[in-house]
Amino acid sequence: MSDQVVVELRLIEQIFRLNTTVEKRDELERAAEVLNERFNEMRRSAPRVEHNKLIIMVALQLTQEVLSLNKSLQEYEHCERLLDAILQDVEKSL
């Protein structure tokens, strides 16, 4: 069982105290950095857009990336299964 820790993060100009495990702490902190970087990039490119709308735009952008990565992973897994089937067929014919 992993040790639980509380991490205090500054996310999009607010402080959050989040529970995580020791093993996932660095990952959570890196995720916070990415979120803040994306928010700041969006703010620079659209300085007049309301704060809440910027947050939604960043969330949408990150979600699109996750969906794209999931699709790529599924395609990779499909190719892996096909290659495995081909290898099995080759091994049977030898």
Side-chain angles (χ1 to χ4, degrees):
M1 185 170 194
S2 297
D3 292 330
Q4 293 286 313
V5 294
V6 176
V7 180
E8 189 170 287
L9 299 171
R10 184 169 181 80
L11 300 169
I12 308 176
E13 302 172 352
Q14 295 183 32
I15 302 294
F16 290 85
R17 291 176 54 86
L18 304 170
N19 293 326
T20 190
T21 62
V22 171
E23 293 82 13
K24 294 198 174 214
R25 181 181 184 149
D26 289 341
E27 196 175 279
L28 180 61
E29 289 173 342
R30 179 64 188 130
E33 288 175 22
V34 169
L35 180 60
N36 287 327
E37 288 169 7
R38 292 294 182 89
F39 179 79
N40 290 330
E41 287 172 16
M42 189 71 70
R43 173 179 269 163
R44 282 191 297 275
S45 68
R48 298 192 196 290
V49 175
E50 295 173 31
H51 182 84
N52 290 341
K53 287 183 181 180
L54 285 176
I55 293 170
I56 292 169
M57 291 166 66
V58 170
L60 183 59
Q61 185 182 66
L62 291 171
T63 302
Q64 283 180 307
E65 289 179 22
V66 167
L67 293 173
S68 177
L69 288 171
N70 282 341
K71 182 179 178 185
S72 296
L73 182 59
Q74 288 173 356
E75 290 170 357
Y76 173 81
E77 289 173 348
H78 177 70
C79 290
E80 197 172 47
R81 285 192 299 276
L82 288 174
L83 285 172
D84 189 45
I86 291 169
L87 286 173
Q88 287 178 10
D89 288 346
V90 169
E91 287 175 359
K92 287 178 187 175
S93 66
L94 294 177

